[in-house]
Amino acid sequence: MSLSCMIVDDEPLAVKLLESFVAKTPDLELIGSFTDSVEAINAIKEEKPQLLFLDIQMPDLSGMELAHMLPEETKVIFTTAFKEYAFESYEVSALDFLLKPIRYNKFMVAVEKAKEYYSPRESVNNVPSTIFLKVDGEYRQVALSQIIYVCGMKDYVMFYLDGERKPLITHLTMKAVEDMLPTQHFMRVNRSYIVALDKIRKIDRNDCIYIGEEGTSAEIIRVTEAYRETFLQYLQSKFPGAK
């Protein structure tokens, strides 16, 4: 598998090092390098590389700010000299985080993660078992098997979990959450909700999902028209003849 990639770093020497790494990696195709993040964003939106090696600390437009502007097709591997930014990379669903000075063996580990991401999503090896969420200034590791459903409200989302009376609230967009959660096990059913498919108890004739055990974590969620066809396809895969 060959992945198209770009490099954005305000340090020319750092760009040259990454270019040399890409050149000796058969599975990567470099389609652009930039030392100016503002100039880079226009090229990224036009070329839509699959992979972006992105420095975080840059003038005018930081790597974290740029990451929020990327097209859906482009995934990020952050490169930085500051390890304190590592957990922030989860907020934009970065594939990996490389700490400078970058060694080729670490670079290759990150590339392998990208190859796994772009492999068919049905592959078992691509399914993560946990995610990190930033809650009240701390990073909490959450097992995907705990998640019942996710509810969005503006720039925040609430994760409702098995065994938790209150949801975990974190600063993320619903799109970022969609990218974080494996599509085999989670599905967005309307603008504000993503549900764990194995936590659905029943679906009534009005396209309402009853999810979670009855009690404080239970919820009734309507599948809206924009998401109905995808949800119906899922039902048909489980129950041939479902309508």
Side-chain angles (χ1 to χ4, degrees):
M1 171 184 292
S2 181
L3 299 178
S4 61
C5 67
M6 284 186 173
I7 298 166
V8 181
D9 195 310
D10 65 322
E11 299 177 6
L13 290 178
V15 171
K16 287 187 178 297
L17 177 65
L18 288 172
E19 286 178 339
S20 71
F21 286 173
V22 172
K24 62 182 179 181
T25 305
D27 298 325
L28 293 180
E29 177 191 2
L30 184 63
I31 60 175
S33 298
F34 300 88
T35 55
D36 185 323
S37 55
V38 176
E39 179 184 353
I41 188 60
N42 294 323
I44 294 166
K45 288 181 177 179
E46 181 176 344
E47 298 291 338
K48 295 182 174 61
Q50 291 168 292
L51 193 57
L52 180 64
F53 295 97
L54 178 62
D55 187 22
I56 291 182
Q57 278 207 330
M58 294 185 290
D60 298 327
L61 185 67
S62 74
M64 200 63 67
E65 291 169 332
L66 191 151
H68 285 285
M69 303 166 65
L70 295 178
E72 183 177 345
E73 299 90 333
T74 301
K75 302 304 294 182
V76 173
I77 294 176
F78 279 119
T79 62
T80 183
F82 302 94
K83 63 182 180 181
E84 58 265 28
Y85 289 117
F87 282 114
E88 289 187 35
S89 64
Y90 284 100
E91 296 184 10
V92 290
S93 303
L95 291 180
D96 209 346
F97 181 92
L98 295 174
L99 190 62
K100 297 177 180 179
I102 300 169
R103 295 186 176 184
Y104 185 63
N105 64 326
K106 298 292 186 182
F107 176 87
M108 282 303 301
V109 170
V111 171
E112 286 302 313
K113 287 185 181 181
K115 288 168 64 178
E116 288 180 6
Y117 176 84
Y118 281 105
S119 295
R121 290 301 183 88
E122 288 72 21
S123 170
V124 173
N125 292 332
N126 284 339
V127 180
S129 60
T130 64
I131 57 174
F132 276 94
L133 299 176
K134 188 175 183 179
V135 181
D136 295 329
E138 299 179 341
Y139 291 89
R140 174 166 172 178
Q141 187 169 209
V142 174
L144 295 184
S145 59
Q146 274 191 280
I147 301 172
I148 303 170
Y149 65 93
V150 181
C151 176
M153 51 177 188
K154 294 186 178 180
D155 293 330
Y156 290 86
V157 294
M158 297 180 289
F159 283 76
Y160 288 82
L161 309 177
D162 271 335
E164 298 279 353
R165 295 186 62 184
K166 295 181 179 180
L168 300 184
I169 301 176
T170 186
H171 183 63
L172 283 172
T173 64
M174 289 294 284
K175 180 63 180 65
V177 175
E178 278 191 286
D179 288 342
M180 292 167 65
L181 299 177
T183 56
Q184 301 97 312
H185 304 305
F186 295 88
M187 184 177 294
R188 192 168 182 175
V189 294
N190 66 43
R191 184 176 180 182
S192 301
Y193 284 88
I194 296 172
V195 301
L197 296 171
D198 64 349
K199 301 295 195 302
I200 296 174
R201 286 190 287 118
K202 67 177 181 178
I203 304 139
D204 68 20
R205 66 184 64 187
N206 296 314
D207 294 330
C208 289
I209 294 170
Y210 293 70
I211 193 163
E213 296 299 325
E214 293 189 24
T216 57
S217 62
E219 184 79 349
I220 301 174
I221 301 167
R222 178 73 180 271
V223 182
T224 58
E225 188 63 31
Y227 300 90
R228 187 176 184 276
E229 182 176 352
T230 301
F231 186 70
L232 182 58
Q233 289 174 356
Y234 164 74
L235 288 182
Q236 290 174 335
S237 72
K238 296 294 183 182
F239 309 102
K243 297 181 179 179

